[in-house]
Amino acid sequence: MIERLACILTYREGEGKARRLNLDAFLRSLASHPELIVVVVEQDAVPRLEGSLPHPRAQHLFAYNPGPFNKSWGLNLGVRVVRSPWLMFTDADIVLGRALAGAVELLAAGYSVVKPYVRILDLDETESRRVRDGDFDWVPERAAERASDREAKGEFPPFAGGAVMMTQGVYDRMGGWDERFLGWGGEDDAMSYLLERARVPGTQLDLRPAVHLHHPRSPSSTSGQPHYRSNLTLLSEYQAMSDERLDRFLEIRRQLNGHRDKYRPLS
């Protein structure tokens, strides 16, 4: 059944080695499912993702974008290069372990959207090294009531944040991911809101927590990034849309989203 799933993620190298180490670990964690289709969309001014990727069916697609990282655009572009009945959108630093196969079984059982975990644990650098070294099913023992680092800061990941699976039909119905969000924050909340408003039949798999591999994270790259306030404004616009206006908005998005040359200068 996993051969029916396409895993799509978008990536930018950043400073230091942590993001590449995490990407490689994530892809190696999927290598036990060689039938899985994987698309890595790198967006940057020039390609920086060198060397082969550690998954037999991983495709590297470079997409020119010298400006702010646009997660939604990268994911939409990935969908355009592969046609699969089931899609998994994920960050490049989350490891699901054996939960992946369990979540696919739920898609096969008829759910349209599946969150492959209920809890996500933020690992420190020592814990992350253990996972990067190949212990992909390891989960640190922590009290159930202990909040992750992000929850302790009042940051609660939305349903569509981190990793989420959906059918191609649901993706099309939602008009893809909203490419107006720039930098960190908002696009996951927008997709979560659309799924809830459309009453898409979905579920969460509580087989094991997902683990989030460590990498440096500063306020200037999250809620302090320059586009964050405009992202919040976009979110508020969703709630103000009538059903008719929202349907028209999604129809337009279906036609425009995911174009390869979005950020290339006109010549």
Side-chain angles (χ1 to χ4, degrees):
M1 289 185 294
I2 287 184
E3 66 274 7
R4 302 180 65 189
L5 180 70
C7 174
I8 299 169
L9 60 146
T10 186
Y11 173 84
R12 180 173 285 181
E13 193 87 344
E15 297 180 1
K17 299 180 179 179
R19 291 188 183 276
R20 179 59 193 268
L21 291 173
N22 291 345
L23 173 66
D24 285 348
F26 168 78
L27 294 175
R28 284 189 289 111
S29 77
L30 302 180
S32 58
H33 301 288
E35 69 276 29
L36 177 68
I37 300 169
V38 182
V39 180
V40 180
V41 179
E42 179 189 14
Q43 48 180 298
D44 210 328
V46 295
R48 304 181 194 278
L49 192 54
E50 299 177 348
S52 60
L53 298 175
H55 186 278
R57 297 190 73 183
Q59 306 173 39
H60 170 219
L61 177 65
F62 173 72
Y64 176 80
N65 176 15
F69 188 75
N70 189 330
K71 177 181 174 180
S72 294
W73 174 66
L75 297 179
N76 289 333
L77 181 55
V79 174
R80 287 204 170 210
V81 302
V82 62
R83 297 296 294 182
S84 295
W86 300 333
L87 305 169
M88 179 169 74
F89 301 102
T90 178
D91 293 341
D93 51 17
I94 290 178
V95 174
L96 302 175
R98 58 193 175 92
L100 173 63
V104 169
E105 290 177 2
L106 292 175
L107 283 173
Y111 286 101
S112 298
V113 180
V114 176
K115 183 77 170 180
Y117 55 88
V118 173
R119 296 183 68 216
I120 182 168
L121 301 180
D122 293 308
L123 305 187
D124 60 28
E125 182 56 34
T126 300
E127 294 169 331
S128 296
R129 279 199 297 270
R130 176 169 176 172
V131 177
R132 293 181 192 126
D133 286 342
D135 200 351
F136 300 125
D137 276 312
W138 176 75
V139 177
E141 293 184 7
R142 294 180 182 170
E145 67 275 9
R146 175 181 165 184
S148 70
D149 295 341
R150 66 187 76 191
E151 290 170 349
K153 299 174 183 176
E155 180 189 326
F156 295 91
F159 180 82
V164 66
M165 299 178 180
M166 65 183 69
T167 65
Q168 177 75 48
V170 166
Y171 170 85
D172 291 339
R173 181 182 172 191
M174 298 301 105
W177 296 80
D178 191 337
E179 296 180 7
R180 297 176 299 165
F181 292 93
L182 299 176
W184 182 88
E187 71 288 321
D188 300 334
D189 302 83
M191 179 61 79
S192 301
Y193 176 75
L194 289 177
L195 293 170
E196 180 181 2
R197 186 162 172 175
R199 295 180 173 84
V200 176
T203 189
Q204 290 180 287
L205 178 66
D206 196 11
L207 182 62
R208 55 151 271 177
V211 295
H212 174 239
L213 301 175
H214 182 267
H215 58 85
R217 224 172 154 223
S218 65
S220 63
S221 65
T222 54
S223 58
Q225 64 100 356
H227 301 280
Y228 184 65
R229 289 188 178 276
S230 62
N231 289 351
L232 294 181
T233 300
L234 289 176
L235 276 177
S236 66
E237 291 179 4
Y238 271 82
Q239 298 175 338
M241 285 187 189
S242 65
D243 289 343
E244 182 179 8
R245 183 183 172 195
L246 182 61
D247 287 343
R248 177 57 177 160
F249 173 63
L250 298 183
E251 180 184 353
I252 293 172
R253 259 182 29 193
R254 283 190 285 269
Q255 300 174 40
L256 298 178
N257 283 356
H259 281 273
R260 175 71 176 265
D261 295 329
K262 177 171 182 171
Y263 290 103
R264 288 200 176 275
L266 296 175
S267 59

